[in-house]
Amino acid sequence: MKVQQIAVPVAALVIFLVLWEALVWVMGWPTYKMAAPSDLPPAYAKYSELFLVMGWQTLWRTMAGLLLAVIFGTALGMIMGFSRLMRDALYPLLVGFNAVPKATVVPIVALLFVGWHDFNTVLIAFMISFFPIAVSVSIGLSTLEPEYRDILRSLGASQSTIFWKIALPKTLPEFFGALKVSVTLAFIGTNLMEIVSPHGRGLGALFDSGKTNSDYPLMFAVLIALALLGIFLYYIVVALEKTFAGWADRSTP
């Protein structure tokens, strides 16, 4: 990894924190109205154990929901990509489902599965993040040039060979692009359930506790922790993309 790839994001983060600190100082906002970056280290120190425990709970539920979204979204995308009939049948349903605000679905799921907090949270993370994956895989497969299929078939290639040699590599760039979006969506779903559920756990519940107690430094510390976890998962996806689809990168340094 080049030094520039590390230095530039770090510099941008430092500038953001400096501007945030300056804004709070200039506006004269007290901590009960707006926390500054300098207020966050004491909050992390005071609640360090809670951040470790609840941060892990949020992370593993998000990853579980994202994994289910990858499996289900890829399978559904393949079905729609290879079948025009299934694409015409399922696309309106998927678009309609995705148009429903997930914040309205969370209370329903919480009531349907009362006491199953882990299941509820993983389910919402899955429901909110599978749509981009399914659509990207479907588009990648449905736009496969027919000339490729005809040439391989004339050479005696089976349908599975066409998929592994042509269709799958072509779909990978779209798949990883959608996965980057799904990572952030999965975190949104996880935290919605953690906040809404009466027995919620994880960083969402910790944020809700800070809101109840008007502890703004804690609330903003949770937001920054969530952002860092999202960045962590995002760069895992970037590393996987470079490994499996690095050939599609045409960017210039």
Side-chain angles (χ1 to χ4, degrees), residues 68-87:
L68 290 176
V70 169
I71 296 172
F72 180 79
T74 301
L76 190 61
M78 290 174 63
I79 292 172
M80 294 190 297
F82 286 128
S83 172
R84 178 61 182 268
L85 177 64
M86 297 303 296
R87 188 159 62 251

Side-chain angles (χ1 to χ4, degrees), residues 209-229:
S209 175
K211 182 183 69 174
T212 302
N213 297 305
S214 299
D215 190 341
Y216 276 63
L218 175 59
M219 293 168 62
F220 279 90
V222 170
L223 294 178
I224 295 299
L226 288 170
L228 292 176
L229 288 178

Side-chain angles (χ1 to χ4, degrees), residues 143-185:
T143 56
L144 178 65
E145 291 81 355
E147 294 83 3
Y148 290 154
R149 302 187 203 185
D150 295 339
I151 292 173
L152 288 175
R153 283 173 181 167
S154 66
L155 296 174
S158 63
Q159 187 68 23
S160 61
T161 301
I162 295 175
F163 173 76
W164 287 107
K165 297 295 185 180
I166 300 296
L168 181 61
K170 182 184 182 301
T171 307
L172 284 178
E174 290 88 352
F175 168 78
F176 280 109
L179 189 56
K180 292 175 184 177
V181 176
S182 295
V183 164
T184 57
L185 292 178

Side-chain angles (χ1 to χ4, degrees), residues 5 12 23 31-32 48 53 75 77 80 83-84 99 109 126-127 132 141 151 157 175 183 192 210 230 235 237 244:
Q5 293 176 305
L23 177 64
T31 55
Y32 61 82
S48 58
V53 173
M80 294 190 297
S83 172
R84 178 61 182 268
V109 173
F126 155 74
M127 290 173 63
L141 294 178
I151 292 173
F175 168 78
V183 164
L192 280 174
Y235 277 104
V237 174
F244 296 103

Side-chain angles (χ1 to χ4, degrees), residues 6-241:
I6 300 176
V8 171
V10 171
L13 178 60
V14 171
I15 293 173
F16 168 75
L17 294 176
V18 169
L19 292 176
W20 179 5
E21 185 79 30
L23 177 64
V24 175
W25 181 77
V26 170
M27 300 300 295
W29 286 326
T31 55
Y32 61 82
K33 188 173 184 179
M34 179 70 173
S38 57
D39 298 320
L40 304 187
Y44 286 124
K46 182 178 180 179
Y47 302 103
S48 58
E49 186 175 349
L50 285 176
F51 270 101
L52 290 175
V53 173
M54 294 192 173
W56 167 246
Q57 290 174 343
T58 295
L59 181 61
W60 83 256
R61 293 191 192 103
T62 302
M63 293 179 67
L66 188 62
L67 179 60
L68 290 176
V70 169
I71 296 172
F72 180 79
T74 301
L76 190 61
M78 290 174 63
I79 292 172
M80 294 190 297
F82 286 128
S83 172
R84 178 61 182 268
L85 177 64
M86 297 303 296
R87 188 159 62 251
D88 292 340
L90 295 177
Y91 250 116
L93 296 176
L94 288 177
V95 172
F97 174 80
N98 195 59
V100 176
K102 299 305 179 290
T104 62
V105 178
V106 169
I108 298 174
V109 173
L111 290 174
L112 281 175
F113 305 101
V114 175
W116 294 18
H117 182 66
D118 289 340
F119 177 79
N120 287 345
T121 309
V122 172
L123 179 61
I124 290 297
F126 155 74
M127 290 173 63
I128 204 172
S129 60
F130 83 91
F131 179 79
I133 297 174
V135 171
S136 67
V137 173
S138 171
I139 292 175
L141 294 178
S142 62
T143 56
L144 178 65
E145 291 81 355
E147 294 83 3
Y148 290 154
R149 302 187 203 185
D150 295 339
I151 292 173
L152 288 175
R153 283 173 181 167
S154 66
L155 296 174
S158 63
Q159 187 68 23
S160 61
T161 301
I162 295 175
F163 173 76
W164 287 107
K165 297 295 185 180
I166 300 296
L168 181 61
K170 182 184 182 301
T171 307
L172 284 178
E174 290 88 352
F175 168 78
F176 280 109
L179 189 56
K180 292 175 184 177
V181 176
S182 295
V183 164
T184 57
L185 292 178
F187 267 107
I188 293 173
T190 300
N191 283 275
L192 280 174
M193 180 57 73
E194 290 174 348
I195 292 173
V196 170
S197 177
H199 303 290
R201 298 185 299 274
L203 291 177
L206 189 59
F207 177 88
D208 194 51
S209 175
K211 182 183 69 174
T212 302
N213 297 305
S214 299
D215 190 341
Y216 276 63
L218 175 59
M219 293 168 62
F220 279 90
V222 170
L223 294 178
I224 295 299
L226 288 170
L228 292 176
L229 288 178
I231 293 171
F232 170 71
L233 284 187
Y234 176 85
Y235 277 104
I236 288 179
V237 174
V238 169
L240 292 174
E241 182 182 26

